[in-house]
Amino acid sequence: KAGVTQTPRYLIKTRGQQVTLSCSPISGHRSVSWYQQTPGQGLQFLFEYFSETQRNKGNFPGRFSGRQFSNSRSEMNVSTLELGDSALYLCASSPGPGYTDTQYFGPGTRLTVL
Amino acid sequence: GEDVEQSLFLSVREGDSSVINCTYTDSSSTYLYWYKQEPGAGLQLLTYIFSNMDMKQDQRLTVLLNKKDKHLSLRIADTQTGDSAIYFCAERNSGNTPLVFGKGTRLSVIA
């Protein structure tokens, strides 16, 4: 079974721009979560989607948004980029509620904001 | 809120056992996980344990859970240079809550 895929793997943007990251979950998984990883803050939860609905949201500003499509693929968007948004963005998929919901991670998208 | 603490660094000699420790504050933590991250890569799930278990063994990996002290450990037997990575402890108190991660322990294996 193919793992979680994330595109693109690397991105360079400038302050003020916006960016969209994509995540395709493991086949059959219906839940997708997004995390931000930085050297200072470590791994922080952004949001989780299940069946196209946001189930949980972390403590991030409204510039960070996401969505999930009917095929369970998910995108996250960051508008008005700031230097502090430079990070590795990780997507994780899991079967969904009712299971142990163990999360499997993709390789991440490394975003650099100049 | 929930907090997960890990020591930042561990150095061991090849062939020795490594023990990575983790403490958590949420007494209702139900699921506890160990993930491995190699340079430039995402997180690889190594193993997990449920709160109704004390120990889980999976090949070279042994997880011990002390619920009273809220302490979790990961033992890697016969540590190899390929085990050099950052190891993250994570917990969640139900299938409906997000994972809470520690800051990670960087394991260096000396040949």
Side-chain angles (χ1 to χ4, degrees):
Chain A
K1 213 181 233 190
V4 178
T5 57
Q6 293 186 244
T7 56
R9 292 293 312 279
Y10 302 92
L11 264 179
I12 299 176
K13 294 283 188 180
T14 55
R15 277 184 302 174
Q17 287 188 308
Q18 68 124 26
V19 68
T20 300
L21 313 181
S22 180
C23 171
S24 292
I26 292 170
S27 177
H29 283 190
R30 297 165 63 197
S31 179
V32 173
S33 297
W34 289 88
Y35 295 83
Q36 181 196 64
Q37 185 179 26
T38 58
Q41 299 298 318
L43 281 150
Q44 293 187 287
F45 171 73
L46 280 155
F47 23 67
E48 178 186 6
Y49 288 88
F50 173 74
S51 290
E52 302 176 67
T53 301
Q54 189 180 85
R55 271 210 313 161
N56 283 302
K57 187 176 190 307
N59 189 25
F60 278 81
R63 299 185 298 106
F64 291 81
S65 62
R67 59 178 176 167
Q68 187 180 34
F69 302 95
S70 58
N71 63 358
S72 296
R73 191 177 69 85
S74 176
E75 288 181 349
M76 67 163 280
N77 184 277
V78 188
S79 62
T80 321
L81 283 165
E82 299 177 0
L83 295 179
D85 297 332
S86 294
L88 180 67
Y89 289 88
L90 292 162
C91 164
S93 81
S94 59
Y99 298 84
T100 63
D101 222 27
T102 300
Q103 296 189 357
Y104 297 87
F105 284 78
T109 294
R110 182 161 299 279
L111 172 65
T112 302
V113 182
L114 303 176
Chain B
E2 306 95 347
D3 196 20
V4 178
E5 298 281 342
Q6 300 178 242
S7 52
L8 294 181
F9 301 99
L10 177 65
S11 182
V12 299
R13 292 201 176 276
E14 191 175 21
D16 288 350
S17 291
S18 308
V19 179
I20 303 171
N21 294 301
C22 167
T23 58
Y24 56 96
T25 58
D26 187 355
S27 57
S28 59
S29 292
T30 305
Y31 311 111
L32 297 129
Y33 304 84
W34 286 102
Y35 286 88
K36 175 184 179 182
Q37 186 176 38
E38 297 182 72
L43 297 175
Q44 175 195 351
L45 176 66
L46 286 177
T47 187
Y48 57 89
I49 190 168
F50 301 137
S51 60
N52 60 357
M53 300 165 68
D54 297 322
M55 186 183 90
K56 182 178 180 182
Q57 189 153 2
D58 185 359
Q59 299 182 343
R60 292 191 298 124
L61 305 179
T62 303
V63 179
L64 293 177
L65 175 60
N66 181 328
K67 288 186 288 294
K68 174 175 167 291
D69 294 337
K70 300 194 195 90
H71 182 267
L72 183 73
S73 67
L74 173 69
R75 178 177 178 270
I76 306 172
D78 187 25
T79 312
Q80 303 297 306
T81 54
D83 295 324
S84 293
I86 301 176
Y87 290 80
F88 290 93
C89 170
E91 64 88 20
R92 68 192 309 183
N93 60 26
S94 78
N96 294 319
T97 57
L99 285 169
V100 177
F101 284 89
K103 290 275 200 269
T105 299
R106 183 179 295 275
L107 174 64
S108 297
V109 182
I110 306 161

